[in-house]
Amino acid sequence: MTIPAAQAAAAAVPATQLATAELHASLEDPALESMNFLNEVASLYPAAISFASGRPYEEFFDVALIHSYLDAFCAHLSRDLGYSSGQVNRALFQYGRTKGIIHELVARNLALDEGISADPQAIVVTVGCQEAMFIVLRALRAGTADVLLSTSPMYVGLTGAARLADMPVWPVHTGQDGIDLAHLVSQVRRARAAGLRPRACYVMPDFANPAGVSMSVPARRELLRVAAQEGVLLLEDNPYGLFHDGEHPPTLLALDDRHQVIYLGSFAKTGLPGARVGYVVAGQPVTSADGTLTLFADHLSKIKSMLTVNTSPVAQAVVGGKLLLHGCRLTAANVRETAAYLRNLRLVLDGLADRFPDAGRSGISWNTPHGGFFVVVTLPFDASDALLEHSAREHGVLWTPMSHFYSDGGGLRQVRLACSQLTPSQISGGLDRFAGFVREALAGGDG
Amino acid sequence: MTIPAAQAAAAAVPATQLATAELHASLEDPALESMNFLNEVASLYPAAISFASGRPYEEFFDVALIHSYLDAFCAHLSRDLGYSSGQVNRALFQYGRTKGIIHELVARNLALDEGISADPQAIVVTVGCQEAMFIVLRALRAGTADVLLSTSPMYVGLTGAARLADMPVWPVHTGQDGIDLAHLVSQVRRARAAGLRPRACYVMPDFANPAGVSMSVPARRELLRVAAQEGVLLLEDNPYGLFHDGEHPPTLLALDDRHQVIYLGSFAKTGLPGARVGYVVAGQPVTSADGTLTLFADHLSKIKSMLTVNTSPVAQAVVGGKLLLHGCRLTAANVRETAAYLRNLRLVLDGLADRFPDAGRSGISWNTPHGGFFVVVTLPFDASDALLEHSAREHGVLWTPMSHFYSDGGGLRQVRLACSQLTPSQISGGLDRFAGFVREALAGGDG
């Protein structure tokens, strides 16, 4: 090989040089810059206790489980589906069906856990929910008039997927009961008046990231009615719905009687983050120029074939095995995890009450979600990036300024506390530090 | 849940209806239509012997290997990198580094098998090579002036990725020695004259899919020189280079002394198709507006974070384990596979010679690659889609019309025979059928 000679010569030859100005605009997007800033602060202060990360709880991670899941899936293929050993080997090793190989198991799970009767042919298994978001937006962004609506504060994964599809996102306010329907209607009409085509509205009705807000059942029905009236699809994202403390409200998809809802599913929190397996349910009928009727899922599958070919059958087998070992009920598979998340949430809420007994008087408040990963605290001062750095450096505690989730300047006095990944002692110590930080900031504000 | 009631009501309510005309144009792309047609013919005649599929050979697939690979990777984390068992569990289960967790192993493999000294930080591990192609094109398609060049006949995966990035592809002719450099120069200049910005040229220098053509070492050096002179990057795709019958020519990246080459790596053929793991090496320096220097890989990583977050650590562990069990040499890991591919190629070439002894006189010819998965046969009649269907129905043999790989009307009398997935007896029987089909077509043409 000629490497040494080439390297010696390299100094003499002007090397190829690229410039960010010549690269796709998504690379200089404010949302991406936000994430980079937050990651950078986290990496600069590794000893800080982090309420910034919404990653899954780690206590129950065990590599031995991956082997069991694989075995369970292979046993299912041979025992339940009658595969020969050659067919089992092929199912895991070879390129696979673009729409996935665990669609029947996903459909069974949706029926058991969510009361959703989904056609397995309407399911596309994806590389995490992130790929599902991108392929849906890529399909819907047919031209420059196509725009997306989304509840604001906005999930950063959605913002990123939309940037890659060159699709503008119009924010819709969030109230106590989730999406603000009057604002949704006004945004749809404003967009249409501007010659644009609002294709869909993204919502996370259960324990939204980052707002922590959930929608009541009447609010869900009203959203479906308004979306139908205004002619926009709903993209329902549901990564946290399972982790609730009581009654499980129906998803929008379960309430949908006219194919209004495209459902984005994730196994990152309920299955195994390291498998990177998610899915989309898209049963919308699509008419071709020649009158042929197909499912929207079939079009998403075509886009997926050009993007990642198919989701790793090995990764699907791991998730499929986990489903099979728990009778396809993720509720059953997550008994320990759900208890840990609810315990953590309770510790954060009680811990805040303990540390801020005169919260109302001092202008501090927080919401009280009944599940999920996030609590939003409102402070009587701007929770700026500079204060976050100060908090990390001087108090050893990380949180997320809510302003990063607004494209229109909101959330200045709010912080998101994620409690999913921490242990009880980390939560207790972290809240002590957070309270110290807030007291100092208040004193500074007074002085 | 309200599903039964909702379903009952559904008939009364007009359902959401989408139309392909309102979806992204990639969904009505001729290349995609081609693939659908070919897949449809294959599924209509499942008993036909298929020279159409370029999938990997299946004899050595064994699920037990997946368990061994996982174990080997976990042992590496604890033994070589000093991970605690908690850290090992986290490495496989949790979200991971966006650029991947097997980059050091990939770099070691490139050094050992290809004599490439790649900076591990310049490597982004992707969901197969297909995602690598898309993120590179998404980054390079900054505006409507940006176009891509590619050798023609064109790899369909590239065509698909380019469509998703809305990036036009200008074809460049292929000759006996690979890419036609005079045509490359003329296409670059024509594009510039039209106000366009040709960003890169895609090439597969080793056993190209679909042409089966390889480039000599002098031709590779000349391509690097011409690309530097014209100021276009080279996207080098190398899925088949390992499967050769003798001397292993250096890749373009190994010969590159000025960061001209973005290298697209695949483990689909050399590792495990079912893991869906590939990678891109992109060491190009990128300057930001503020003068900061970064690697192009870091920008690709940002795009990946918005597309799939990270490649499944479980899938990476499977591929990493396979590398580790063979001293990071894929040559060593693929001794049996390489022998099988070369045997198959020899059987096809010898089998064609046996069955068409007067080939030259009858206007039949084929190329003689020294490796890879594909042979291209030229026939004295148009190998049309209608004839493919006839061949499948009446003769029980499938092949691929080369015309599907041209955007400009080439390849009408050529067919691609893939020999990678077949057993020796299938090749023999399949060639008997193919010869029967050709004889009939020739007789028909005479009659």
Side-chain angles (χ1 to χ4, degrees), chain A residues 110-111 114-118 221 250-257, chain B residues 1-10:
Chain A
L110 285 171
E114 305 286 355
I116 292 169
S117 85
R221 293 193 189 278
T251 61
L252 294 174
L253 182 59
L255 299 172
D256 179 20
D257 56 11
Chain B
M1 296 298 141
T2 59
I3 288 299
Q7 283 175 341

Side-chain angles (χ1 to χ4, degrees), chain A residues 110-406:
Chain A
L110 285 171
L112 292 169
D113 278 344
E114 305 286 355
I116 292 169
S117 85
D119 175 1
Q121 292 302 326
I123 293 171
V124 182
V125 181
T126 53
V127 181
C129 187
Q130 190 65 33
E131 188 194 32
M133 287 193 288
F134 176 75
I135 62 177
V136 169
L137 299 188
R138 176 70 300 179
L140 293 178
R141 172 79 175 170
T144 51
D146 294 306
V147 298
L148 181 70
L149 302 151
S150 169
T151 45
S152 173
M154 225 172 265
Y155 171 51
V156 291
L158 178 81
T159 315
R163 295 300 183 213
L164 287 190
D166 292 319
M167 193 167 197
V169 187
W170 287 43
V172 179
H173 299 158
T174 298
Q176 299 285 8
D177 209 12
I179 188 165
D180 175 337
L181 292 175
H183 193 230
L184 170 62
V185 171
S186 102
Q187 288 288 69
V188 168
R189 294 181 183 178
R190 271 188 57 221
R192 292 227 167 92
L196 301 174
R197 183 161 61 168
R199 301 301 300 263
C201 181
Y202 172 91
V203 280
M204 213 187 280
D206 295 278
F207 315 125
N209 178 7
V213 171
S214 291
M215 296 177 70
S216 68
V217 179
R220 291 170 198 236
R221 293 193 189 278
E222 190 58 9
L223 171 58
L224 285 161
R225 192 191 64 74
V226 169
Q229 164 199 303
E230 298 298 322
V232 292
L233 290 163
L234 294 171
L235 306 190
E236 177 178 31
D237 193 0
N238 186 20
Y240 311 106
L242 213 67
F243 307 119
H244 61 89
D245 69 357
E247 189 64 21
H248 194 167
T251 61
L252 294 174
L253 182 59
L255 299 172
D256 179 20
D257 56 11
R258 47 170 120 179
H259 296 308
Q260 285 177 256
V261 178
I262 296 167
Y263 184 86
L264 302 163
S266 168
F267 292 112
K269 280 78 188 179
T270 57
L272 195 85
R276 299 296 309 129
V277 174
Y279 61 93
V280 51
V281 185
Q284 286 69 28
V286 179
T287 41
S288 300
D290 65 0
T292 322
L293 260 190
T294 47
L295 293 175
F296 190 39
D298 293 314
H299 298 265
L300 298 178
S301 170
K302 287 183 191 174
I303 288 181
K304 181 175 170 61
S305 75
M306 298 184 263
L307 193 66
T308 57
V309 185
N310 57 258
T311 304
S312 163
V314 173
Q316 289 185 74
V318 169
V319 169
K322 180 164 183 175
L323 284 168
L324 286 158
L325 286 177
H326 297 92
C328 283
R329 289 179 191 272
L330 286 170
T331 40
N334 284 278
V335 169
R336 295 181 307 180
E337 287 78 3
T338 302
Y341 291 132
L342 292 174
R343 176 202 65 202
N344 281 4
L345 183 62
R346 179 51 43 208
L347 288 172
V348 167
L349 293 172
D350 290 352
L352 286 170
D354 289 346
R355 285 163 186 84
F356 300 106
D358 57 348
R361 205 162 45 81
S362 58
I364 300 172
S365 63
W366 53 87
N367 62 355
T368 53
H370 293 273
F373 285 16
F374 308 106
V375 173
V376 172
V377 180
T378 302
L379 297 167
F381 53 84
D382 281 4
S384 65
D385 287 356
L387 270 190
L388 168 62
E389 260 191 297
H390 175 83
S391 169
R393 189 175 57 242
E394 301 299 327
H395 297 273
V397 63
L398 293 166
W399 37 267
T400 309
M402 283 289 286
S403 57
H404 286 269
F405 304 114
Y406 285 87

Side-chain angles (χ1 to χ4, degrees), chain A residues 1-3 6-7 9-10 13-24 26-27 32-33 36 55-56 58 60-63 65-67 69-71 74 88-90 92-96 114-117 127 130-131 134 138-142 146 157 160-161 163-166 197 199 221 233 248-250 253-260 268-269 272-276 284-289 293 296 299 302-303 305-315 318 421, chain B residues 1-3 6-7 9-10 13-27 32-33 36 55-56 58 60-63 65-67 69-71 74 88-90 92-96 114-117 127 130-131 134 138-142 146 157 160-161 163-166 197 199 221 233 248-250 253-260 268-269 272-276 284-289 293 296 299 302-303 305-315 318 421:
Chain A
M1 298 297 141
T2 59
I3 289 299
Q7 283 174 340
V13 192
T16 308
Q17 188 97 6
L18 296 169
T20 50
E22 293 170 353
L23 301 178
H24 189 251
S26 61
L27 288 164
L32 197 62
E33 296 301 316
N36 289 341
R55 292 180 164 212
E58 298 179 340
F60 311 119
F61 289 174
D62 179 358
V63 167
L65 289 172
I66 297 178
H67 293 284
Y69 297 155
L70 285 169
D71 287 340
C74 292
V88 172
N89 289 330
R90 204 174 304 137
L92 266 71
F93 268 72
Q94 191 55 281
Y95 289 100
E114 305 286 355
I116 292 169
S117 85
V127 181
Q130 190 65 33
E131 188 194 32
F134 176 75
R138 176 70 300 179
L140 293 178
R141 172 79 175 170
D146 294 306
R163 295 300 183 213
L164 287 190
D166 292 319
R197 183 161 61 168
R199 301 301 300 263
R221 293 193 189 278
L233 290 163
H248 194 167
L253 182 59
L255 299 172
D256 179 20
D257 56 11
R258 47 170 120 179
H259 296 308
Q260 285 177 256
K269 280 78 188 179
L272 195 85
R276 299 296 309 129
Q284 286 69 28
V286 179
T287 41
S288 300
L293 260 190
F296 190 39
H299 298 265
K302 287 183 191 174
I303 288 181
S305 75
M306 298 184 263
L307 193 66
T308 57
V309 185
N310 57 258
T311 304
S312 163
V314 173
V318 169
Q421 203 186 0
Chain B
M1 296 298 141
T2 59
I3 288 299
Q7 283 175 341
V13 192
T16 308
Q17 187 96 7
L18 296 169
T20 51
E22 293 169 354
L23 301 178
H24 189 250
S26 61
L27 288 164
L32 195 64
E33 296 302 316
N36 288 343
R55 292 182 161 211
E58 298 178 340
F60 310 119
F61 289 172
D62 180 358
V63 168
L65 289 172
I66 296 178
H67 292 283
Y69 297 155
L70 285 170
D71 287 340
C74 291
V88 171
N89 289 330
R90 203 175 303 137
L92 267 71
F93 269 71
Q94 190 56 281
Y95 288 101
E114 304 286 354
I116 292 169
S117 85
V127 181
Q130 188 66 31
E131 188 195 30
F134 176 76
R138 176 69 301 181
L140 293 178
R141 172 80 173 170
D146 295 307
R163 294 301 182 212
L164 286 190
D166 291 318
R197 183 160 63 167
R199 299 303 298 264
R221 293 192 189 279
L233 291 163
H248 194 167
L253 182 59
L255 299 171
D256 178 21
D257 56 11
R258 48 169 119 179
H259 297 308
Q260 287 177 254
K269 282 79 189 180
L272 195 85
R276 298 297 310 130
Q284 286 69 28
V286 179
T287 41
S288 299
L293 260 189
F296 190 40
H299 298 265
K302 287 182 190 175
I303 289 180
S305 74
M306 298 183 263
L307 192 66
T308 58
V309 185
N310 57 256
T311 303
S312 163
V314 173
V318 169
Q421 203 185 1

Side-chain angles (χ1 to χ4, degrees), chain B residues 163-207:
Chain B
R163 294 301 182 212
L164 286 190
D166 291 318
M167 193 168 196
V169 188
W170 287 44
V172 178
H173 299 159
T174 298
Q176 298 286 6
D177 209 11
I179 188 166
D180 176 337
L181 293 175
H183 194 230
L184 170 61
V185 171
S186 100
Q187 289 288 72
V188 168
R189 294 181 184 178
R190 271 188 57 222
R192 292 227 167 93
L196 301 175
R197 183 160 63 167
R199 299 303 298 264
C201 181
Y202 172 92
V203 280
M204 212 187 280
D206 295 277
F207 316 126

Side-chain angles (χ1 to χ4, degrees), chain B residues 1 38 88 183 229 301 303 329 337 408:
Chain B
M1 296 298 141
L38 297 172
V88 171
H183 194 230
Q229 164 200 302
S301 170
I303 289 180
R329 288 178 191 274
E337 287 79 1
D408 51 3

